Amino acid sequence: MDDIAVVQQDEENRPYEPSNKYLKLITPLSRKLTSILSQLRMGYVPLAKHPHCISKADSPTCPACQQAKETTQHFLLHCPAHNAARQSLCNNMGGRSIDITKLLTTLKTLCALFLYIMETGRWQNSFGKLPTLEEE
């Protein structure tokens, strides 16, 4: 997932800054959607595994299915509790299977990604109602 890297260091050793590719990707997004995308890409999301790692949650187990650790991959690709939303995600991506790298790095797939997140309702307590890309 090297091409998902959000930051790069320049030749003057300044602090890390977002890559030009990432800046172009997030330009049309609201601050809220940019925050969600960044968290998904880095794995520091309000899913059970990360809060558990930093002692903010009792268990890393997915609260929706209780079958696995709730990671970004589990949430997006595997959780059986989100199968209906995942089918909509696939349909919104033109019937293709989900490629997590493309899902998180391609402007065309971000609309489908944010619709999936809204449909699951998983982060409604953390982020409230998400704007769609059309609303921005």
Side-chain angles (χ1 to χ4, degrees):
M1 293 175 87
D2 290 338
D3 59 334
I4 294 182
V6 175
V7 294
Q8 65 185 13
Q9 193 169 17
D10 68 8
E11 63 278 353
E12 297 176 12
N13 287 329
R14 290 188 299 193
Y16 288 106
E17 296 178 1
S19 68
N20 289 334
K21 184 176 179 182
Y22 183 70
L23 288 173
K24 183 178 179 184
L25 179 67
I26 65 170
T27 296
L29 303 180
S30 69
R31 186 178 186 134
K32 186 183 287 189
L33 294 180
T34 298
S35 175
I36 292 169
L37 178 62
S38 296
Q39 289 177 44
L40 282 168
R41 289 170 56 132
M42 292 184 287
Y44 301 130
V45 292
L47 297 171
K49 184 174 185 283
H50 176 66
H52 180 260
C53 288
I54 60 172
S55 301
K56 297 288 184 184
D58 293 332
S59 170
T61 303
C62 176
C65 72
Q66 299 290 317
Q67 295 179 11
K69 289 180 181 177
E70 190 183 33
T71 62
T72 300
Q73 290 78 13
H74 173 76
F75 173 68
L76 294 175
L77 303 176
H78 306 297
C79 183
H82 302 309
N83 280 343
R86 192 172 303 104
Q87 185 58 53
S88 293
L89 174 62
C90 288
N91 293 341
N92 289 332
M93 292 175 55
R96 295 176 277 157
S97 62
I98 301 169
D99 176 335
I100 198 164
T101 300
K102 285 185 180 178
L103 186 63
L104 299 175
T105 61
T106 309
L107 191 56
K108 290 179 184 178
T109 61
L110 291 182
C111 185
L113 170 66
F114 297 130
L115 286 173
Y116 171 81
I117 292 170
M118 287 179 9
E119 203 171 321
T120 67
R122 180 62 181 93
W123 293 336
Q124 192 162 0
N125 289 341
S126 299
F127 293 102
K129 184 181 183 301
L130 299 180
T132 62
L133 291 177
E134 291 81 24
E135 292 173 353
E136 298 184 352

